Amino acid sequence: MDFRQAARKRDSSWHNAPVPSFGPNSARLLIVGLAPGLQGANRTGRPFTGDYAGDLLYATLNKFGFANARFEARPDDGLELIDTRITNAVRCVPPENKPVGAEIAACRPFLSATIKAMPNLRAVVALGRIAHESLIVALGERPSRYGFGHGARHQIEGYSIFDSYHCSRYNTNTGRLTPQMFEAVFASVRAELAT
Ligand code: URA
């Protein structure tokens, strides 16, 4: 809270508040990110908008027909998600971009509510271990029963869960996640939704 209030004082034109989910509630696909980036969603108010992670995410979504091609990293760029909604496990930018357990737990009811508000939901992509674990708990299961791994798939409560390494600049710069690895996850999601 102090962190956010200080940020508000520093630049009152930034969003600096909980970032709402983006995309229609009627979607069959939900993507769960980690938390708003300081200069990304925390500045612009739209998930994955304004930092590197969004460049890779929205290009990939467009490639697999989950978004139009209008992404220009501005909330008024005309970007539309298709059959897809994006949310974050943590709703406010955390200090040092590293959310602590208490914050993740405090935000989990919002994740549960997001899931419950999606009547057609079939597939969920968890970006990174924190999103994966919070999602598993939100679905009433124990993370120890469902290991996180890039490309791992789980079936919980009728939902198909797809794990991916987070599309952060760090992960792509270090080669932990390549665009091809990321695309493979969304190719699997597309195949699942075609059934
Ligand atoms: N921006 C978001 O909204 N979420 C992330 O996980 C990373 C960047």
Side-chain angles (χ1 to χ4, degrees):
M1 192 61 117
D2 293 350
F3 177 71
R4 228 182 325 135
Q5 267 158 8
R8 277 200 186 126
K9 276 199 191 128
R10 230 179 10 252
D11 197 328
S12 59
S13 70
W14 285 23
H15 179 70
N16 282 324
V19 173
S21 305
F22 174 47
N25 269 328
S26 59
R28 290 181 301 161
L29 170 62
L30 177 67
I31 298 168
V32 184
L34 171 58
L38 180 63
Q39 314 220 13
N42 175 63
R43 176 173 58 84
T44 63
R46 191 176 71 183
F48 290 92
T49 298
D51 51 23
Y52 174 84
D55 294 352
L56 180 57
L57 177 62
Y58 288 122
T60 306
L61 291 182
N62 174 245
K63 189 160 185 172
F64 289 90
F66 293 116
N68 69 7
R70 299 285 297 274
F71 180 65
E72 287 175 16
R74 289 180 283 106
D76 60 353
D77 52 13
L79 174 68
E80 281 177 19
L81 299 184
I82 302 163
D83 203 13
T84 302
R85 188 162 167 82
I86 303 179
T87 196
N88 280 308
V90 168
R91 288 168 56 87
C92 291
V93 61
E96 293 170 45
N97 272 343
K98 286 199 187 99
V100 296
E103 189 174 13
I104 298 164
C107 287
R108 192 167 300 116
F110 294 102
L111 179 57
S112 305
T114 300
I115 293 167
K116 285 204 184 88
M118 297 182 69
N120 305 317
L121 184 63
R122 283 188 53 194
V124 187
V125 173
L127 297 178
R129 181 183 298 277
I130 290 177
H132 161 92
E133 289 187 352
S134 199
L135 173 66
I136 302 294
V137 176
L139 293 174
E141 287 289 350
R142 274 177 295 137
S144 56
R145 289 191 57 202
Y146 299 90
F148 171 78
H150 182 82
R153 276 183 72 160
H154 312 280
Q155 209 58 40
I156 302 179
E157 274 198 18
Y159 302 126
S160 297
I161 315 281
F162 296 79
D163 286 345
S164 172
Y165 290 143
H166 193 282
C167 49
S168 64
R169 185 191 291 274
Y170 180 82
N171 279 348
T172 48
N173 277 355
T174 56
R176 185 174 174 83
L177 179 71
T178 63
Q180 291 74 21
M181 288 166 69
F182 200 50
E183 286 174 13
V185 173
F186 285 91
S188 302
V189 174
R190 182 45 88 199
E192 170 69 24
L193 291 181
T195 61

